[in-house]
Amino acid sequence: MTTTSFLDEIKSLIDEDQVIDSTKDNQPYGNSGHITIHPQTEQEISDILQYASNHHLLVNIAGAGSKRGFGGEMESANILLSLEQYTGIVEHHAGDMTITVKAGTSFQEIQNYLKPFNQKIALDPFLPQQATIGGLIACNDSGPKRLGYGSARDAVIGLRIVYPDGKVIRSGGKVVKNVAGYDMNKLFIGSMGTIGVLSEVTIKLRPVTKDETTMLITFPNHKIEEIKAFSIQLLDSMIEPICFELLNPELTEIFSGEKSFALLISFEDVEKSVQYQEEYLKKQIPKNAKMKKLKGEDSADFWQAFYQLVPNALENPKNEKVKAAVKIGTVNVNIAPILKESSLIQDTCNVKIFGHGGLGHGIMQLYIDGAEVDVIDALKKLRSLAKMYNGYAVIRHLPFNLRKQIDTWGEKPSSFFLLEGIKEKIDPKRMLNRHRYVGGI
């Protein structure tokens, strides 16, 4: 079927203004479509998927599009289903501390809505102004505060999903104490849109904390082994940081002007608890280490800048430097040596690597600038480094032409047969986000 023929038929299902011929779009990150459709209701999503299934068309899914550089071996499908216009609050039960929202709603929009109620979603994704709640959940995004907040799997209590054949299902519920049956939500969280289109999301909320402090501790003349030992000492103490990140010298220099390793520690609680933990931390800091405390607007400004570090597919910088991002998961104490050795990779590959990792949860984020061939070389070396420490490396952002040269997900996990079986059962025609997930699913 030609683009022109199914474009005309699609316009009979949805308002003409919501359908765009995008065959001439120059999208450097792939995951595009010959036509782009902007549904505004769940019924329209269902109708489009049913039509695509009946006519054996391939469908890519996007929210605002900031994560188009995350995986995907297809430059363009027949249809790009964009949920950018499918937005809004469906239900908010302030007393029950839950909210239900449409999947295309941006994370920051939801937080702004909740602020007058003194409530928030306890997640901290990157690019919160652009990231949609559906995209956040589809890729299971999380930031440094994952240590205290948990991930999307901890926050989501219910989903509405449109299957590839247009059928709408519900998983979970709309109350926090929902424990009956299998937890089907976890099947879709992190599945990269390969087994269904998220329509609505129900999330449990938390009260906005009374007080917050962000501490940046730099270690100008300390060895990484000393910083690691100090970090283990703090982790074994009674303090309960919401964030406990180790920053490499290149990243520290951006925020402090000093090129050294640094600890980024944040507390959120009632005022007395935060003050107690601040004082405890001050007494434990090694000699010659420097501590900078950020409160109020200074802390908010710092985090706003921090969450913009990750490359953004909505931006297409016209320069010769390639921006890539890789997530490494490992045992938390291995964060220090991996960050140290990534500095050697930076030098040998002639790239810049800005990195940070959670000493409490073991998730690292590394951002790479350099020429194409050097970035690919650095990514391969980082993956080998992660494997040496019994970890994994997933490439979170890379231009489409470079994703042909290196597998986004790395080796197939031992459980791959289960993932493949689920895909075959739910999407036997393999029409949704084809080749976007691990093992080419």
Side-chain angles (χ1 to χ4, degrees), residues 104 118 190 388:
N118 202 36
M388 187 173 74

Side-chain angles (χ1 to χ4, degrees), residues 71-115:
E73 298 172 17
M74 290 185 59
E75 187 168 12
S76 186
N78 301 109
I79 296 171
L80 173 64
L81 189 68
S82 171
L83 302 187
E84 195 172 6
Q85 297 179 17
Y86 182 65
T87 64
I89 310 298
V90 179
E91 292 178 297
H92 174 216
H93 299 287
D96 293 335
M97 302 286 285
T98 64
I99 191 169
T100 301
V101 295
K102 295 179 181 179
T105 314
S106 77
F107 181 80
Q108 192 61 56
E109 183 181 343
I110 302 169
Q111 296 291 59
N112 292 343
Y113 167 84
L114 291 169
K115 193 173 183 179

Side-chain angles (χ1 to χ4, degrees), residues 24 85 136 207 214 316 337 377 387 421:
K24 295 180 181 179
Q85 297 179 17
L136 186 165
T214 301
N316 182 18
D377 190 25
K387 188 175 181 180

Side-chain angles (χ1 to χ4, degrees), residues 32-48:
S32 190
H34 299 151
I35 66 170
T36 301
I37 304 176
H38 296 274
Q40 296 179 0
T41 68
E42 185 180 75
Q43 186 60 54
E44 289 176 344
I45 298 172
S46 176
D47 290 344
I48 292 161

Side-chain angles (χ1 to χ4, degrees), residues 153 163 183-191 195 419 422 426:
R153 288 190 169 97
Y163 268 176
D183 188 354
M184 289 287 287
N185 293 325
K186 290 183 173 61
L187 182 64
F188 298 95
I189 299 170
S191 64
I195 53 175
L419 302 176
I422 292 167
I426 297 176

